Amino acid sequence: MIRFIHAADVHLDSPLVGLERYGDTPVEEIRGATRRACENLVALAIKENAAFVILAGDLYSDPAAKKRGGFGDVAKVWEAFADRFAWVAGVAGNHDDVTAISPLLRLHVLDGSIVELDGIRIGGVGGIIGAKGKKMRRPAEEFLALVDRVIDQ
């Protein structure tokens, strides 16, 4: 049996602005939850001998952000997974800058494409449907054409 891990919408180190207004909420404990969850996911995957990782976007969050919608480099997150697993494949979310990710490190960022690794075909489309002027957003027609291309491969 092949074992793998899948992670999406981690929003690592999200500031979760506004928690303070909820009285006795353990704000710092909650803010650290995404990092702890990611660390626990990796530990479990190693314990269970996961062969690879699939990342499905929105790994990034700016801890200094005062509002939603941060955008930043996620290469170090992908590389941290690649250090522990045979390979990593996935898509960028609308918060993720993947331009610094090198496929030479067993990292495969998919965007309207398919890759075959260890006999497993994986396809993906990054970003979201939305106003083209914003990062990692595409008009619906363009996004859906890429989805069709992946399906047809």
Side-chain angles (χ1 to χ4, degrees), residues 66-124:
K66 300 294 184 217
K67 63 178 185 161
R68 295 176 58 206
F71 181 81
D73 184 5
V74 293
K76 287 190 184 336
V77 178
W78 282 63
E79 290 166 5
F81 280 107
D83 286 344
R84 292 165 178 86
F85 301 97
W87 50 265
V88 178
V91 298
N94 61 305
H95 299 282
D96 301 338
D97 179 355
V98 295
T99 56
I101 294 175
S102 169
L104 301 175
L105 297 172
R106 301 177 329 276
L107 302 173
H108 306 274
V109 179
L110 306 173
D111 194 20
S113 57
I114 288 180
V115 65
E116 186 166 333
L117 303 161
D118 296 332
I120 300 167
R121 288 174 46 92
I122 301 168

Side-chain angles (χ1 to χ4, degrees), residues 32-42:
T34 57
R35 180 162 296 274
R36 285 190 310 279
C38 197
E39 290 167 354
N40 291 339
L41 179 67
V42 171

